Amino acid sequence: MAREQLSDVRYGWNGFADRQDLATALAGEIADRLTSAIAKRGTALLAVSGGTTPAKLFAALSTTPIDWDKVTVTLVDERFVPPSSPRSNAGLVAANLLQNKAAAARFVPLYHEAASIEDAAATDSEALKSLPWPLDVVILGMGGDGHTASFFPDAGNLEELLDPVSQRIVLPVHAPSGGEPRLTLSMARIVAAGFIAIHIEGEDKRAAFNGATGPGAKKPIRRVLEAAPRPIEVFWAP
């Protein structure tokens, strides 16, 4: 594991020789954090991103022997599509994470059938209100444009999404670059987590991360790094 700092914002850099080593190490870190939360308050709350990048991580985490029946899993963000869609983050999490030992975890989705994305966000916020906040662990990804969660640079309500003191839980997102409308946890909810990791893979993502977080950058990923009260850990493999 190598560590470096290539920006004027604080973060931990954890570099690995290959993606399986990354998955194993990050799964172990998540398991330790969840176990610690369970020991302290009898429950743990985990929010994960979707996409194909975390497939190896989810597979490694799903076999980790922790008290999964005391863990609640939700999503950082979701497309406004039903779970049956191949673009659904909930579907990917169900297929890759909520298997093996992790099948005992409780899953709280973000997607709900609704007349509009705004109605869905309101329903989600009500449904998630009873979760044991704050989040114990958050796993984020990052797009080549510097977005994380569904904080797209061209989102019409980006400043609302990135409000560090927002009381909102789930917000709707309309961003041309994001395709279909999205639902996302607010940045305020994300950065309040006990442990946050950004999981990226490939030389292109490493270059994009360095560019999006360097001095003078205004990308959403940098805004999240700046808002977090504790340094976020970045996990990368080529």
Side-chain angles (χ1 to χ4, degrees):
M1 181 184 294
R3 300 181 70 88
E4 61 183 19
Q5 181 73 50
L6 300 176
S7 173
D8 59 331
V9 291
R10 299 177 305 154
Y11 60 83
W13 182 270
N14 305 272
F16 296 85
D18 62 60
R19 297 177 184 188
Q20 189 57 57
D21 286 349
L22 183 160
T24 301
L26 184 50
E29 183 72 40
I30 295 167
D32 288 348
R33 300 281 180 164
L34 296 177
T35 298
S36 177
I38 291 167
K40 289 178 181 176
R41 57 193 187 118
T43 188
L45 183 56
L46 166 66
V48 297
S49 58
T52 57
T53 297
K56 284 186 172 63
L57 167 64
F58 288 167
L61 187 58
S62 73
T63 60
T64 304
I66 66 172
D67 292 332
W68 282 105
D69 60 330
K70 297 177 181 176
V71 176
T72 297
V73 179
T74 192
L75 292 163
V76 170
D77 65 329
E78 178 63 285
R79 297 174 177 88
F80 192 44
V81 297
S84 58
S85 168
R87 292 178 59 75
S88 165
N89 286 342
L92 291 165
V93 168
N96 294 288
L97 174 58
L98 302 175
Q99 303 290 326
N100 304 308
K101 291 180 171 60
R106 175 193 179 201
F107 179 61
V108 180
L110 293 190
Y111 174 84
H112 292 89
E113 187 172 350
S116 69
I117 191 74
E118 288 75 19
D119 288 348
T123 299
D124 284 336
S125 292
E126 195 61 33
L128 270 64
K129 191 180 296 184
S130 63
L131 294 185
W133 300 96
L135 290 156
D136 295 295
V137 177
V138 172
I139 308 301
L140 297 170
M142 190 202 75
D145 61 354
H147 86 266
T148 191
S150 281
F151 307 149
F152 289 93
D154 61 345
N157 62 334
L158 183 60
E159 292 308 312
E160 180 184 25
L161 302 176
L162 296 176
D163 180 354
V165 295
S166 173
Q167 297 301 305
R168 302 284 296 276
I169 300 176
V170 179
L171 295 106
V173 182
H174 293 280
S177 63
E180 57 267 277
R182 308 249 184 153
L183 297 155
T184 188
L185 295 183
S186 67
M187 186 184 74
R189 294 283 172 166
I190 289 172
V191 299
F195 174 77
I196 306 170
I198 297 172
H199 176 190
I200 54 176
E201 296 179 351
E203 293 292 348
D204 56 338
K205 284 293 182 74
R206 178 174 180 162
F209 178 84
N210 289 339
T213 61
K218 300 183 185 301
K219 297 293 188 178
I221 189 76
R222 180 183 168 103
R223 300 274 297 275
V224 172
L225 290 171
E226 290 174 335
R230 293 170 291 279
I232 291 174
E233 295 294 322
V234 182
F235 285 72
W236 172 85

